[in-house]
Amino acid sequence: MRPSPKQWLWMYQTMVKSRIFEERIAAAYFEGKSPVFNMANGPIPGEMHLSNGQEPCAVGVCAHLDAGDFVTATHRPHHIAIAKGVDLDAMAAEIFGKATGLSGGRGGHMHIFDAAVNFCCSGIIAQGMGPAVGAATAFKLRNERRVAVSFIGEGAANQGAFHESLNLAAIWQAPVVIVIEDNAWGISVAKAQSTAVPQNDARAAAYGMPGHRVAGNDPEAIFAVAGAAIARARAGEGPSLIEIETHRLAGHFIGDAEGYRPKGEKEALTDPIPQLRAKLLGLGILDPTADRALTDEAEALVDRAISKARAAAYPVPEQAYEKVFA
Amino acid sequence: MRPSPKQWLWMYQTMVKSRIFEERIAAAYFEGKSPVFNMANGPIPGEMHLSNGQEPCAVGVCAHLDAGDFVTATHRPHHIAIAKGVDLDAMAAEIFGKATGLSGGRGGHMHIFDAAVNFCCSGIIAQGMGPAVGAATAFKLRNERRVAVSFIGEGAANQGAFHESLNLAAIWQAPVVIVIEDNAWGISVAKAQSTAVPQNDARAAAYGMPGHRVAGNDPEAIFAVAGAAIARARAGEGPSLIEIETHRLAGHFIGDAEGYRPKGEKEALTDPIPQLRAKLLGLGILDPTADRALTDEAEALVDRAISKARAAAYPVPEQAYEKVFA
Amino acid sequence: MTATATILPNRTRRNLTIAKAMAEAIAQEMRRDDSVLVLGEDIAALGGVFGNTRGLLDEFGPARVRDTPISETGFIGAAVGMAAVGLRPVVELMFVDFFGVCMDAIYNLAAKNCYFSGGQSPVPLVLMTSVGGGYGDAGQHSQCLYGTFAHLPGMKVVVPSNAHDAKGLMIRAIRDDNPVIFMFHKALQGMGWLGTVQGSITDVPEDAYEIPFGQAAICRAGNDICIVSLGAGVHLALDAAQSLGEEGIAAEVVDLRTLVPLDRATIIASTAKTGRLLVVDEDYQSFGVSGEIIASVVESGVALKAPPRRIAFPDIPIPFSPALEHPALPSAAKIVATARQIVRAGR
Amino acid sequence: MTATATILPNRTRRNLTIAKAMAEAIAQEMRRDDSVLVLGEDIAALGGVFGNTRGLLDEFGPARVRDTPISETGFIGAAVGMAAVGLRPVVELMFVDFFGVCMDAIYNLAAKNCYFSGGQSPVPLVLMTSVGGGYGDAGQHSQCLYGTFAHLPGMKVVVPSNAHDAKGLMIRAIRDDNPVIFMFHKALQGMGWLGTVQGSITDVPEDAYEIPFGQAAICRAGNDICIVSLGAGVHLALDAAQSLGEEGIAAEVVDLRTLVPLDRATIIASTAKTGRLLVVDEDYQSFGVSGEIIASVVESGVALKAPPRRIAFPDIPIPFSPALEHPALPSAAKIVATARQIVRAGR
Ligand SMILES: Cc1ncc(C[n+]2csc(CCOP(=O)(O)OP(=O)(O)O)c2C)c(N)n1
Ligand SMILES: Cc1ncc(C[n+]2csc(CCOP(=O)(O)OP(=O)(O)O)c2C)c(N)n1
Ligand SMILES: [Mg+2]
Ligand SMILES: [Mg+2]
C-alpha cells in the first residue's frame, strides 16, 4: 500500500501544518517567561510537550482514518490531533485557555477533546489504551466498520494498562490498532534502560496478535504498515500492534535542557519534514510552487487559529463549576 | 535434575501434610455453617480457598528453596506456605483467628506471613510479584545468593502488575522466578476466555527471559524445570517465568458450587497425591510401611497444630489497634 | 421502619433482596435500551459473586454480558471508551478494596472526561462494587472506602440500604449520563452465604422507577437526636433508635442514600430540629464521611445542644479475627450508648 | 515568620529550597545507612523532575539511585519487597495525581503489610510525591489529594511548608519503620520554572536532624482566630495573617506538618484560645482534610464564638485555564475576607 499523490500531499501538508502550529505555540509559550522561565506565566502556562519530529507517525496512521474512527492520544497530542482533523481554531483556543476552546479552557494542551472527530488524549501514560479497546469493541458490537487507534509512547509500553488493554483487545478481537511512537526516550530515561526487549513489536506475540516495527521515521513505511493493520481491523480480523521509530527533536517538554542525552545523539537526528519535501519533489508529486502554496495555506490556517485564540475571551470563573457533570 | 530419594520423600510428605491440613481446615470451616451456610459463622469465617490438587507446584518449586529465599503467594496459599516451611502451629492459629497466630489473628487465611522463612501472601491478584522482584533485587544488590519466587494463578497473568513486574525483573536481572499455577480457572472464568495466548510461557519473550511450561501437574517435571530456573537465578543469570498445569480439585472457595464448569471436566481430573504415591511405590522409594509412617507423622503434626489453634485464646479487642505501625 | 415504608404502594408486597433488585433494575434497563451492557469478573455464567447480575447472561447473551479477565484497569478503561461512543456500560469491580489497581481509570478518566472535554464527552457508566466487612474476610476484602470515592470530583456515589432503594437508585444510575459508583454492602446483599440484614429485604415494585440522587431518606422520625448513616449502618441506627425509643429518646434516622450529591439540607434540618447529631459510618473514621457530615452541619451554624459525635471504623486495617473485627465495627449497642451520652450532655 | 524562626540556630544562615533540603536529607541518610536507596522515574541523571534527588546519582551510583520504567505498580511493589528484606527505599511517584495506577501497592500492600504480618514485616519506605497546582498544568497534574492518603490507615502523611521542615521531616521519614507519604508542594519546591513561594526557602542546618511527626507548628501566634493549614496554604495563611494584623485581627497560624499522625491537640488548643477556626486546604473540599479538622475540633467540645469555616479547592476537577484555576484556589485575599467574617460574626 502506497500513498496516492493526493494522500502524499495531505500527509506532507499536515506535517507542515503541525510543525508551524507548534512553532507558533512555542513562541507564544515563551512570552512572559523571560527573563525568568516560570511555567506558570505567559499566555500558555503549564507543561508543553511538542511533537516536532514525530509528525510522520500521525499522518501515516491518520491517513487511513476518518472522523468516525476513534483516536486516543497522549500528553504529546498536537500532531495527532491535527492529522485526525481536530478543529484547529478551537484547539488553539483551548491551549490558550480561552472560553472558545474545545473544552472552554478546562482541559488545555494535555486534554484535547474533539468529539466531532472522535479525538481525545490524556496526561496519564497509557490511559487511552483501554478506551480505544472499548470504543472498538462497541463498534464491533454494533457491526459498524469503524476502528479505534491508540497512540502511546515507547515508555508507555511498560505500564500495566498496556498489558491489560492488549490482552482485552485480543480476546475480544476488537478492531483496534495500538501505535507506539518510539522516540527512544521517556523524559530522561532511555528505552534500553526501561524496556526489557529492544523492540516492542515483539510483545504482540504475548497477545497472539500481529506486531510490526517501522524503522526510520518514514512516512511511507508508516502509511503502509498502518494501512494494512487498519484495513485488517476494519475487516473484522482483529487488533494489531505497531511500533514506529521516530524522533523527539525538542526536549521532553519546553524547558527541558536534555542534559541526560548522550552528546551528538540529538544532532544526528534528521528532521522528517525536509526529508519528505525532498522526496516528494524528487517523485514529482510536489514542486516548489505547490510547496509554497501548501505551506502558505497551512501557515494561514495556523495563524488564523492562533490569532483567534489570542483575541478570544477567557472564561469567567463561574464556568469552572460547569461541566463537572453532564 | 531429578529429586533425590530424600527430596522425593520430602515432596510426597509435604503434599500429604498440606492435604491433611486442608481437610482439617475444611472440616472446621463447615462447623457452625449449617444448616445455613453463612461465611461469617463458625470457628473460621471469611473466604476459604483450598489448594487441593495444586500441591505439586508448591513442593516441586520449594524443594529448591531454603528459609532465606523469599516467597510471595496468593489468596490460595496453604500448600506453598507449608512447602516453604511456615510454622504450622502458628499458621493454623492464624487461620482460626487466635492470638497465637502468626499475625495475632490480624491476617487470617489470605494473609499468612512468616518472616522467619520469608513467606508472605496477599488477597490481591498479582500483588506479590513486585515485592518478589524487589526482594530479589535487594539480594543481588547485596551479593547474596538468595532468590525470590512469586507464585500466581493463571488468571493473574492478565493483571497489569504481571507486566510491570516481569519487565522490571528483566531490566534489573533480578534473581526471581515467577511461577504460574495454571488451574485453568479464575473463579468462574476459564483461561481461554480470559487469556489471549494458550500458554503464558509465551509471554516470557516479551521480557527477553526464558519461559517454560510444565504439563501434567507432574511433581518430577516441576522439580526439574523449577530447579533449573532457580539455579539460574541463584547463579546471577536472571529471572524466568514458569507456567505449571495444575488442577483445582475443590471449587474456587469453599461453597463454590461450580455450576459454570463444563460437565465431566472436574471428574476427569486426577489427584496428584495417589498418583505420586503409586509412582514412589513403583520406584521403590516408598513402601507401604514408610508411607504409613510418613502419613501418620504428617497427620500428627497437623492435628497438633489444629488442636493447639482451637485451644488458643482469641486476641482481646484492644489488640486490633496494635501493629498498625511498627 | 425503613425508607420504603413511606412509599409502600397499594398492591401485594414483593420482597426482594438487594442482589435481586439490582439484577432486575439492570435487566429492565437492558430491555429498554440496547446500549446498556454489563462487564466484569464473574458476572456472566456465575451471575456475579454477589448475585447482582444473575440471569442476565441467559437473557441477553455474552455480547452484552461480558466476563472479563482480571484486568480492572483494562476493562474499566474500555468501558469509558464504550461510553464515549454511545454505550452505557454497567461495570462490576468485585470488591471495592480492589480500587487500587484501577483507580486511575475511575477517578482520572471516567470521572474527569466530561470536564476535560467541556461536556462534549460525558461518561454514562455505572461502576457497581461490593463494600463492607463483618464476616471475617480481612483487610483486603472488607473495606467500605465511601470517603475515598466521595472525596474525588466527577463521580456520583450511591450507597443503598435496602432493595427498594437499590432498584430505584440503579435505574437512576444507568440513566444518568455520568459515572456513578454504586456501592452495595455485602451484609445487605441477600446472599445467604454472607448472612443478610433482614431490613434490607423490602418490597420492590415490578415497574422500573427512579430514586433521585441527592435526597436522603428519613427512615424514622424523632425529635431528640439525628442519627445519620448509610448502607448497613442505617439498619444499626434503626435498631438503636428502637432501643432508644424504649428508654424515651426519640431518634431520627437519616439514610443518606447518596454521598455525591450529598443532601446536606436534610441533615442540617434534622440536626436543627433535634439539636444533636450522631454520624454512623463503617468507613475509616478520619478524613472521610463522618468528618464531612459533622463539618457540613456545624459550618451551617445550626445551634447544637451538645457536641456532635461519630461512630466509625477506627483508623486501622480491618482485622481478620472476629475477636478483633467485631468490636471495631459500629454496632447498635455503640450507637445507643453514644446517643444516650449526647442526649444527656445536651439537656 | 515560619516554623523555623522558632528554632533558628546560633550560626550563619544557610538558605535552601525544599528541593535542596530533601536531596540533602536523602544524601545524609544514604551516607549514614547503606540500606537506603532511591527509586523512581527520572530521579537519577535528571535528579528528579522536581530537583529533590539532584546529585545523588553522582555520589551513590546507579545501583542505589535507580531510574525506573513507567511502571509505578511494579516499582512501588518492588520497594515493598526491598523493605521486607532490609532495605529502606525512598521512592518517587512523580505527581501524586498518578496514584491511581499504583494505589494498590501503596494502600493495600505497603500500608498494610505491617498489620497483616502482626508486626513481623514492617515496611520502612518513603514515597515522595509532588502535589499542587496553580501553574496551569490541568486536572491530572495539579491535585493535592491530601485527604485521599490521610484517610487510609497504615501510612504516615507528611506535608512540609518550608525547607527546614522538609529536611527534618525527610530524615525522620527515612528513619521511620513505616511507609511515609511525603507530599511536597510544587509551588514551594524552589524550582525556578515553577515559581517559588519565598517563605518556603529557609535556613537549614547542615547537620542531620529530625522533626517528629504529629507536632504541628504554630507559625504565628494570635488570639483572635486560629487558621489551620498545610503545605503551600501555610504561606497564604501567613500573608493573610499579616494583613489581618494590620486591621487589628490577630490570627494564629497552625502548620500541620503531618496529617497522619494529626496533631489534634494543638489545633484544639489554638481554637480554644481564639474561639474561632478557619481551615485552609488546597485539596478538594468535601470528604477530606478540612472536614476532618473541623469535626475534630467540634467533637472535642471547645466553645466557639462563631461557626468554623473552611477554604478549600471546590469539588471540581482542576481546570487548565488560569482564568478558571486561579479563582478556584485558596488565596490570601479569601482567607482575609473569611477570617474577617468569622471574627465579626463571633464577637
Ligand atoms: C502513569 C504516569 N506515570 C508517569 C507520568 C509522567 N510522564 C509524563 S510523560 C512521561 C514519559 C513518557 O514517555 P513515552 O511514553 O515514551 O512518551 P514521550 O514523552 O516520549 O512521547 C512520563 C514518565 C505520567 N504522565 N503518567
Ligand atoms: C485485583 C483483584 N481482582 C480481582 C480479585 C478477585 N479474585 C480473587 S481470586 C480470583 C481468581 C484468581 O484466579 P487465578 O489467578 O487463576 O488464581 P486461582 O484462584 O485459580 O488460584 C479473583 C478474580 C482479586 N482478589 N484481586
Ligand atoms: Mg518516548
Ligand atoms: Mg486459576
Side-chain angles (χ1 to χ4, degrees):
Chain A
M1 202 182 315
R2 300 190 60 188
S4 66
K6 201 177 140 197
Q7 285 172 316
W8 264 133
L9 292 175
W10 176 85
M11 287 166 65
Y12 173 67
Q13 189 185 30
T14 302
M15 286 171 63
V16 168
K17 198 202 291 180
S18 178
R19 181 66 60 86
I20 299 173
F21 182 79
E22 290 203 333
E23 282 166 0
R24 297 290 188 280
I25 291 290
Y29 186 77
F30 279 114
E31 290 169 25
K33 293 194 179 71
S34 65
V36 184
F37 180 83
N38 177 345
M39 215 174 244
N41 295 336
I44 306 177
E47 292 175 67
M48 177 53 61
H49 312 85
L50 298 181
S51 60
N52 357 5
Q54 302 190 190
E55 297 90 346
C57 309
V59 299
V61 173
C62 293
H64 306 283
L65 303 178
D66 60 32
D69 297 319
F70 190 83
V71 164
T72 67
T74 67
H75 57 287
R76 197 180 300 290
H78 301 157
H79 56 319
I80 307 167
I82 291 172
K84 186 63 173 58
V86 167
D87 184 311
L88 200 70
D89 294 358
M91 171 167 149
E94 186 61 30
I95 294 172
F96 279 82
K98 298 303 179 73
T100 52
L102 284 162
S103 312
R106 293 177 189 81
H109 141 79
M110 274 192 279
H111 306 285
I112 301 292
F113 281 72
D114 190 346
V117 298
N118 284 289
F119 179 88
C120 61
C121 66
S122 161
I124 300 294
I125 295 304
Q127 198 195 60
M129 296 186 73
V133 172
T137 303
F139 300 153
K140 180 175 174 179
L141 204 61
R142 294 188 303 220
N143 288 310
E144 297 170 350
R145 277 179 57 86
R146 296 156 74 186
V147 301
V149 176
S150 180
F151 287 86
I152 59 172
E154 91 296 337
N158 300 313
Q159 177 70 217
F162 174 90
H163 180 61
E164 297 191 5
S165 303
L166 283 169
N167 184 60
L168 215 51
I171 58 171
W172 287 350
Q173 284 294 295
V176 63
V177 177
I178 307 298
V179 176
I180 303 176
E181 296 186 77
D182 175 9
N183 62 11
W185 292 91
I187 309 186
S188 72
V189 182
K191 186 186 189 186
Q193 242 186 303
S194 67
T195 312
V197 284
Q199 300 190 183
N200 280 304
D201 57 327
R203 291 179 164 175
Y207 315 102
M209 67 170 73
H212 308 278
R213 165 92 184 170
V214 185
N217 203 22
D218 173 10
E220 182 166 346
I222 298 167
F223 179 92
V225 171
I230 291 168
R232 190 173 178 277
R234 231 184 265 291
E237 292 158 24
S240 314
L241 175 68
I242 302 173
E243 181 169 76
I244 303 173
E245 182 194 356
T246 190
H247 306 317
R248 193 184 82 186
L249 296 180
H252 172 70
F253 52 36
I254 297 184
D256 178 4
E258 295 188 270
Y260 50 81
R261 214 161 167 169
K263 266 221 172 62
E265 189 200 74
K266 199 169 165 184
E267 293 65 30
L269 300 176
T270 43
D271 183 333
I273 292 186
Q275 223 172 5
L276 181 58
R277 180 184 302 117
K279 172 171 178 159
L280 297 187
L281 288 170
L283 288 171
I285 291 170
L286 194 66
D287 61 38
T289 321
D291 182 23
R292 192 60 288 156
L294 284 177
T295 305
D296 286 350
E297 189 191 34
E299 195 161 0
L301 288 170
V302 168
D303 285 340
R304 188 190 66 182
I306 301 284
S307 27
K308 283 174 75 174
R310 284 184 186 275
Y314 280 106
V316 295
E318 294 65 41
Q319 290 180 294
Y321 297 81
E322 296 167 8
K323 312 296 182 193
V324 177
F325 291 112
Chain B
M1 201 183 312
R2 299 190 61 185
S4 67
K6 201 176 141 199
Q7 285 173 316
W8 264 133
L9 292 175
W10 176 84
M11 286 165 65
Y12 173 68
Q13 190 186 30
T14 302
M15 286 171 63
V16 168
K17 199 202 290 178
S18 177
R19 182 66 60 86
I20 299 173
F21 183 79
E22 290 202 333
E23 282 167 0
R24 297 290 188 280
I25 291 290
Y29 187 78
F30 279 114
E31 289 168 26
K33 293 195 178 69
S34 64
V36 184
F37 180 83
N38 177 346
M39 214 174 246
N41 296 336
I44 305 178
E47 292 175 67
M48 178 52 62
H49 311 86
L50 299 181
S51 60
N52 0 3
Q54 303 190 189
E55 298 91 346
C57 309
V59 298
V61 173
C62 294
H64 305 285
L65 303 178
D66 60 31
D69 297 317
F70 189 85
V71 164
T72 66
T74 67
H75 56 287
R76 196 181 300 289
H78 302 158
H79 57 320
I80 307 167
I82 290 172
K84 186 64 173 61
V86 167
D87 184 310
L88 200 70
D89 293 358
M91 172 166 148
E94 185 62 29
I95 295 172
F96 280 81
K98 297 301 179 74
T100 53
L102 285 163
S103 312
R106 293 177 189 82
H109 141 78
M110 274 192 278
H111 307 284
I112 301 291
F113 281 72
D114 190 346
V117 298
N118 284 289
F119 179 88
C120 62
C121 65
S122 161
I124 300 293
I125 295 305
Q127 198 194 60
M129 295 185 74
V133 172
T137 303
F139 300 152
K140 180 176 174 177
L141 205 60
R142 293 188 304 220
N143 288 311
E144 297 170 349
R145 277 179 59 84
R146 297 156 73 186
V147 301
V149 175
S150 180
F151 288 85
I152 59 171
E154 92 295 336
N158 300 312
Q159 177 69 214
F162 174 89
H163 180 61
E164 296 190 5
S165 303
L166 283 169
N167 183 61
L168 216 51
I171 58 171
W172 288 349
Q173 284 295 294
V176 62
V177 177
I178 307 298
V179 175
I180 302 176
E181 297 185 76
D182 175 10
N183 62 10
W185 292 92
I187 309 186
S188 72
V189 181
K191 186 187 190 187
Q193 242 186 302
S194 67
T195 312
V197 284
Q199 299 189 184
N200 279 304
D201 57 327
R203 290 180 165 173
Y207 315 102
M209 68 171 71
H212 308 279
R213 165 92 184 171
V214 185
N217 204 21
D218 173 11
E220 181 164 348
I222 298 166
F223 179 92
V225 171
I230 290 168
R232 190 173 178 277
R234 231 183 265 290
E237 292 158 25
S240 315
L241 176 68
I242 301 173
E243 181 168 77
I244 303 173
E245 181 193 357
T246 190
H247 306 316
R248 193 183 83 186
L249 296 180
H252 172 70
F253 52 35
I254 298 183
D256 178 5
E258 296 188 89
Y260 50 81
R261 213 162 170 170
K263 267 221 170 66
E265 190 200 76
K266 200 169 162 183
E267 294 64 30
L269 300 177
T270 44
D271 184 333
I273 292 185
Q275 223 171 4
L276 181 58
R277 180 183 302 117
K279 173 171 177 158
L280 296 187
L281 289 169
L283 288 171
I285 291 169
L286 195 67
D287 62 38
T289 321
D291 182 23
R292 191 61 286 156
L294 284 177
T295 305
D296 285 350
E297 189 190 33
E299 193 159 1
L301 288 170
V302 168
D303 284 341
R304 189 190 66 181
I306 301 282
S307 27
K308 282 175 76 175
R310 284 184 184 275
Y314 280 105
V316 295
E318 294 65 41
Q319 290 180 294
Y321 297 80
E322 297 167 7
K323 312 295 182 193
V324 178
F325 291 111
Chain C
M1 203 58 149
T2 69
T4 49
T6 55
I7 38 174
L8 183 68
N10 189 9
R11 54 174 178 70
T12 29
R13 290 180 67 94
R14 193 180 65 120
N15 282 339
L16 293 190
T17 62
I18 290 186
K20 291 213 171 99
M22 288 173 69
E24 180 171 288
I26 298 168
Q28 289 179 338
E29 288 304 290
M30 289 183 81
R31 275 174 220 134
R32 195 184 61 80
D33 181 351
D34 270 357
S35 63
V36 179
L37 84 174
V38 185
L39 307 176
E41 292 157 17
D42 306 287
I43 54 83
L46 191 69
V49 170
F50 305 106
N52 39 300
T53 55
R54 210 160 269 180
L56 300 181
L57 176 66
D58 286 345
E59 181 173 353
F60 301 102
R64 288 179 72 195
V65 182
R66 294 181 171 243
D67 271 338
T68 60
I70 311 173
S71 308
E72 290 84 355
T73 295
F75 69 74
I76 297 174
V80 174
M82 290 172 170
V85 298
L87 298 185
R88 305 183 80 84
V90 177
V91 186
E92 178 151 300
L93 175 64
M94 192 187 290
F95 289 74
V96 76
D97 313 67
F98 308 160
F99 90 95
V101 302
C102 56
M103 192 57 166
D104 185 69
I106 301 170
Y107 103 105
N108 244 348
L109 176 65
K112 289 183 183 154
N113 264 7
C114 181
Y115 196 74
F116 285 151
S117 69
Q120 292 177 77
S121 288
V123 182
L125 180 157
V126 181
L127 185 74
M128 50 189 184
T129 187
S130 75
V131 306
Y135 64 101
D137 223 7
Q140 291 175 337
H141 291 78
S142 300
Q143 300 167 99
C144 284
L145 304 182
Y146 299 137
T148 298
F149 286 84
H151 180 53
L152 299 165
M155 34 189 173
K156 303 187 178 178
V157 179
V158 173
V159 187
S161 71
N162 62 71
H164 175 274
D165 288 2
K167 179 171 175 182
L169 291 166
M170 177 57 83
I171 290 178
R172 175 67 235 136
I174 296 172
R175 295 179 185 172
D176 201 292
D177 278 336
N178 299 290
V180 178
I181 315 298
F182 192 101
M183 308 177 92
F184 57 92
H185 196 291
K186 280 165 268 172
L188 308 182
Q189 193 64 357
M191 303 300 280
W193 55 275
L194 284 166
T196 296
V197 174
Q198 285 306 309
S200 69
I201 301 175
T202 61
D203 178 50
V204 177
E206 304 249 11
D207 292 347
Y209 57 95
E210 296 184 25
I211 294 189
F213 292 168
Q215 295 192 6
I218 297 185
C219 312
R220 179 183 174 120
N223 285 316
D224 294 330
I225 182 168
C226 167
I227 306 179
V228 174
S229 194
L230 72 169
V234 171
H235 302 282
L236 303 176
L238 286 168
D239 288 350
Q242 180 71 27
S243 304
L244 289 164
E246 286 157 17
E247 52 185 272
I249 296 173
E252 180 144 304
V253 177
V254 175
D255 176 356
L256 292 173
R257 301 206 286 198
T258 66
L259 282 173
V260 180
L262 179 63
D263 184 359
R264 291 185 170 85
T266 293
I267 308 166
I268 292 170
S270 175
T271 309
K273 183 175 84 170
T274 59
R276 302 179 189 93
L277 173 66
L278 171 60
V279 183
V280 179
D281 176 18
E282 199 179 317
D283 190 11
Y284 301 118
Q285 172 157 322
S286 295
F287 304 94
V289 169
S290 61
E292 180 61 25
I293 292 184
I294 291 176
S296 296
V297 167
V298 298
E299 71 188 348
S300 79
V302 297
L304 287 168
K305 297 179 184 156
R309 297 274 298 270
R310 47 182 163 170
I311 296 170
F313 199 83
D315 297 326
I316 61 174
I318 298 177
F320 160 69
S321 180
L324 300 171
E325 185 189 18
H326 291 174
L329 284 164
S331 66
K334 288 186 192 178
I335 299 171
V336 169
T338 307
R340 210 187 275 137
Q341 285 170 12
I342 298 173
V343 172
R344 290 207 184 123
R347 278 247 154 82
Chain D
M1 202 65 146
T2 69
T4 50
T6 55
I7 39 173
L8 183 68
N10 188 11
R11 54 172 178 72
T12 29
R13 290 180 68 93
R14 192 179 65 120
N15 283 338
L16 292 190
T17 62
I18 290 186
K20 293 212 171 98
M22 288 172 70
E24 180 171 288
I26 299 168
Q28 289 179 338
E29 288 304 290
M30 289 182 81
R31 274 174 221 134
R32 196 183 61 80
D33 182 350
D34 271 356
S35 63
V36 179
L37 83 175
V38 184
L39 307 176
E41 293 156 17
D42 307 287
I43 55 83
L46 191 69
V49 170
F50 304 106
N52 39 299
T53 56
R54 210 161 269 180
L56 300 180
L57 176 66
D58 286 347
E59 181 172 354
F60 302 101
R64 287 179 71 196
V65 182
R66 296 181 170 244
D67 271 337
T68 60
I70 311 173
S71 307
E72 290 84 356
T73 295
F75 69 76
I76 298 174
V80 174
M82 290 172 170
V85 298
L87 298 184
R88 305 182 80 83
V90 178
V91 186
E92 177 150 301
L93 176 64
M94 192 188 292
F95 288 74
V96 75
D97 313 67
F98 308 160
F99 90 95
V101 302
C102 55
M103 191 57 166
D104 185 68
I106 302 170
Y107 104 105
N108 244 348
L109 175 66
K112 290 183 182 155
N113 264 8
C114 181
Y115 195 76
F116 285 151
S117 70
Q120 294 177 76
S121 288
V123 183
L125 179 157
V126 181
L127 185 75
M128 50 188 183
T129 187
S130 76
V131 305
Y135 64 102
D137 223 8
Q140 290 175 337
H141 291 78
S142 300
Q143 299 167 99
C144 284
L145 305 182
Y146 300 136
T148 299
F149 286 84
H151 181 52
L152 298 166
M155 35 190 171
K156 302 187 178 178
V157 179
V158 174
V159 187
S161 72
N162 62 71
H164 174 275
D165 288 2
K167 179 171 175 182
L169 291 166
M170 177 56 83
I171 289 178
R172 174 69 234 135
I174 295 173
R175 294 180 186 172
D176 202 293
D177 278 336
N178 299 289
V180 178
I181 315 298
F182 191 101
M183 307 177 92
F184 57 92
H185 196 291
K186 281 165 267 174
L188 307 182
Q189 192 64 359
M191 302 300 279
W193 55 275
L194 284 167
T196 296
V197 174
Q198 285 307 308
S200 69
I201 301 175
T202 62
D203 178 49
V204 177
E206 304 250 12
D207 291 347
Y209 58 95
E210 295 185 26
I211 293 189
F213 292 168
Q215 295 192 5
I218 298 184
C219 311
R220 179 183 174 120
N223 285 316
D224 294 331
I225 183 168
C226 166
I227 307 179
V228 174
S229 194
L230 72 169
V234 171
H235 301 282
L236 302 177
L238 285 169
D239 288 350
Q242 180 70 26
S243 305
L244 288 164
E246 286 157 17
E247 52 184 272
I249 297 173
E252 180 144 305
V253 177
V254 175
D255 177 355
L256 292 173
R257 301 205 287 198
T258 66
L259 282 173
V260 180
L262 179 63
D263 184 359
R264 290 185 171 85
T266 294
I267 307 167
I268 292 170
S270 175
T271 309
K273 182 175 83 171
T274 58
R276 302 179 189 94
L277 173 65
L278 171 60
V279 183
V280 178
D281 176 18
E282 200 179 318
D283 189 13
Y284 301 117
Q285 172 158 323
S286 295
F287 304 95
V289 169
S290 60
E292 181 61 26
I293 293 184
I294 291 176
S296 296
V297 167
V298 299
E299 71 189 348
S300 79
V302 297
L304 288 169
K305 298 178 184 157
R309 298 273 297 270
R310 48 182 162 170
I311 295 170
F313 200 83
D315 298 326
I316 61 173
I318 298 177
F320 159 69
S321 179
L324 300 171
E325 185 190 18
H326 291 175
L329 284 164
S331 66
K334 287 186 191 177
I335 300 171
V336 169
T338 308
R340 208 185 276 139
Q341 285 170 13
I342 298 172
V343 172
R344 290 207 185 124
R347 278 245 153 83

